[in-house]
């Protein structure tokens, strides 16, 4: 799909007996569980290191990643969404269970990525947040529950895939990932 607004990727973690999951959990650190309402969600195993999964295409350029996520009660931590991810470089939006938000540029596998925007949003463990990260032209925006929390203008990366990651000793559940062309 290439028309503006068209869906390029989606994963709701339902119907897994009929098809394979569409994200790449290379380290086998994620699993599907039933949420309180019976909906299937994707959660990471709590480990002493970061856990992540990848999705998408290295050729994606202008797109948005939308999903629902929640920090598990009592487990806090940090979640990252990477957009335009290439080998060693990406834009990443970080949200902490305490509400701090950062948009960063990581180039050539930098140990310390550049902060290019910051913000704050009210969060509560155990409650769902609607997240969206967009990259259109040089504009990078991070929205929580429909509100822009942080935005930056940066032209260092034009294309790449997506990734979702969770910090050590934390548990996050995610659901309803949708990637749309912008």
């Amino acid at each position: 799909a290439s028309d503006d607004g068209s869906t390029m990727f989606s994963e709701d973690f339902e119907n897994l007996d009929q098809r394979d999951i569409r994200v790449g959990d290379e380290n086998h650190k994620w699993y599907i569980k039933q949420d309180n309402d019976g909906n299937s969600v994707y959660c990471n195993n709590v480990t002493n290191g970061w856990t992540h999964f990848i999705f998408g295409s290295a050729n994606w350029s202008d797109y948005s990643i939308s999903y629902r996520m929640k920090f598990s009660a009592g487990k806090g931590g940090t979640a990252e969404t990477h957009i335009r991810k290439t080998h060693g470089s990406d834009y990443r939006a970080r949200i902490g269970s305490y509400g701090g938000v950062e948009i960063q540029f990581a180039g050539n596998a930098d140990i310390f990525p550049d902060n290019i925007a910051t913000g704050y949003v009210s969060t509560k463990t155990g409650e769902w947040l609607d997240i969206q990260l967009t990259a259109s032209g040089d504009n990078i925006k991070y929205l929580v529950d429909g509100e822009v929390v942080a935005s930056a203008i940066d032209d260092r990366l034009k294309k790449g895939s997506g990734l979702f990651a969770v910090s050590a000793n934390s548990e996050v559940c995610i659901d309803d990932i949708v990637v749309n062309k912008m």
Side-chain angles (χ1 to χ4, degrees):
S2 61
D3 296 334
D4 285 354
S6 63
T7 299
M8 301 164 55
F9 174 90
S10 67
E11 177 60 75
D12 63 6
F13 306 104
E14 304 290 340
N15 298 323
L16 292 178
D17 55 338
Q18 298 171 6
R19 65 167 172 83
D20 289 333
I21 195 167
R22 294 182 181 109
V23 298
D25 174 19
E26 298 165 346
N27 297 319
H28 308 289
K29 302 291 185 188
W30 290 78
Y31 65 98
I32 294 171
K33 77 174 186 179
Q34 299 295 305
D35 201 15
N36 297 338
D37 62 2
N39 182 42
S40 293
V41 297
Y42 204 45
C43 305
N44 67 300
N45 290 311
V46 177
T47 68
N48 62 359
W50 282 79
T51 58
H52 71 277
F53 62 83
I54 59 173
F55 54 92
S57 165
N59 295 321
W60 286 356
S61 58
D62 293 345
Y63 63 99
S64 67
I65 302 170
S66 301
Y67 57 88
R68 295 178 338 121
M69 66 155 278
K70 69 177 172 179
F71 293 99
S72 294
K75 295 265 188 225
T78 301
E80 288 187 349
T81 310
H82 296 205
I83 198 164
R84 292 184 177 168
K85 185 161 193 66
T86 63
H87 296 290
S89 298
D90 56 68
Y91 293 107
R92 58 186 64 170
R94 299 171 60 109
I95 184 169
S97 56
Y98 57 87
V101 171
E102 299 170 328
I103 297 176
Q104 300 175 323
F105 170 78
N108 299 318
D110 288 340
I111 294 174
F112 300 106
D114 296 336
N115 275 351
I116 57 177
T118 59
Y120 181 83
V121 65
S122 178
T123 61
K124 291 183 181 174
T125 60
E127 293 188 13
W128 288 101
L129 299 169
D130 290 318
I131 304 292
Q132 184 179 45
L133 177 61
T134 67
S136 180
D138 297 343
N139 296 298
I140 312 297
K141 292 182 183 175
Y142 190 69
L143 296 85
V144 178
D145 294 334
E147 299 291 325
V148 175
V149 178
S151 63
I153 297 175
D154 196 282
D155 65 357
R156 291 176 272 190
L157 286 176
K158 300 295 185 198
K159 292 182 179 182
S161 60
L163 179 140
F164 185 79
V166 177
S167 62
N169 306 310
S170 301
E171 181 183 59
V172 170
C173 293
I174 187 169
D175 198 15
D176 300 327
I177 302 169
V178 177
V179 177
N180 287 323
K181 179 83 177 148
M182 294 187 68

